[in-house]
Amino acid sequence: MMPPTADQQQFLDIRFAARRPAVPLSSAGADVLRIVSDPRTPVFVTEHASGRRVYGYWRPLDAENGRGGCYVALSTAECDELYAAGRITLGEPVKDPTKTTYRARPTRTPARTPAPAPRPTAAPAPGPAPVRTTGARRRAA
């Protein structure tokens, strides 16, 4: 595959961006990661054909305050930093003619595998010999 020339528009497949080691989060980055980590708040990223990305979620209506009931956009710069740092991952794409939508989720660290049990170094001491019952002795004689 030839590298793109200067006159060709370049697109970054954001699902396969380079991973960098985790860096300390800014307060805005921590807020975004908190929202993405909340399982009650599904966050989606929409990548338009022009390359523009929009991260957002639906804020449900709060009956007490009368607030919400709308879409909320998240900071694209903060979300892209979290993605590049490997803190969030993107799910399977849903493609339309003009855009592609992914579900954004926090990166899950793999569960630690328990250390293997140590092997016994010596064979266990033999137990007492089995005892034959009186009925077994009579049949054997």
Side-chain angles (χ1 to χ4, degrees):
M1 176 192 238
M2 300 275 305
T5 60
D7 62 330
Q8 293 175 330
Q9 192 171 10
Q10 298 179 20
F11 291 102
L12 170 66
D13 188 349
I14 61 175
R15 291 181 301 149
F16 303 108
R19 305 281 191 231
R20 291 183 290 196
V23 294
L25 293 176
S26 65
S27 63
D31 287 341
V32 168
L33 190 57
R34 179 184 52 81
I35 292 168
V36 171
S37 298
D38 186 354
R40 299 170 298 169
T41 310
V43 175
F44 295 93
V45 57
T46 302
E47 184 175 22
H48 296 274
S50 65
R52 181 175 66 104
R53 287 185 300 281
V54 178
Y55 293 82
Y57 67 98
W58 175 257
R59 179 179 289 166
L61 181 63
D62 183 5
E64 291 179 18
N65 301 342
R67 297 170 69 183
C70 59
Y71 284 102
V72 178
L74 297 171
S75 167
T76 301
E78 292 293 336
C79 292
D80 284 344
E81 285 180 23
L82 289 171
Y83 181 75
R87 299 271 181 114
I88 60 175
T89 59
L90 303 180
E92 292 297 316
V94 177
K95 295 185 178 192
D96 287 337
T98 59
K99 63 184 178 183
T100 303
T101 304
Y102 305 90
R103 169 81 188 266
R105 290 192 168 102
T107 302
R108 301 286 183 210
T109 55
R112 287 188 180 181
T113 55
R119 291 185 176 181
T121 55
V131 178
R132 285 196 285 179
T133 60
T134 56
R137 281 189 220 150
R138 281 188 222 146
R139 277 186 249 137

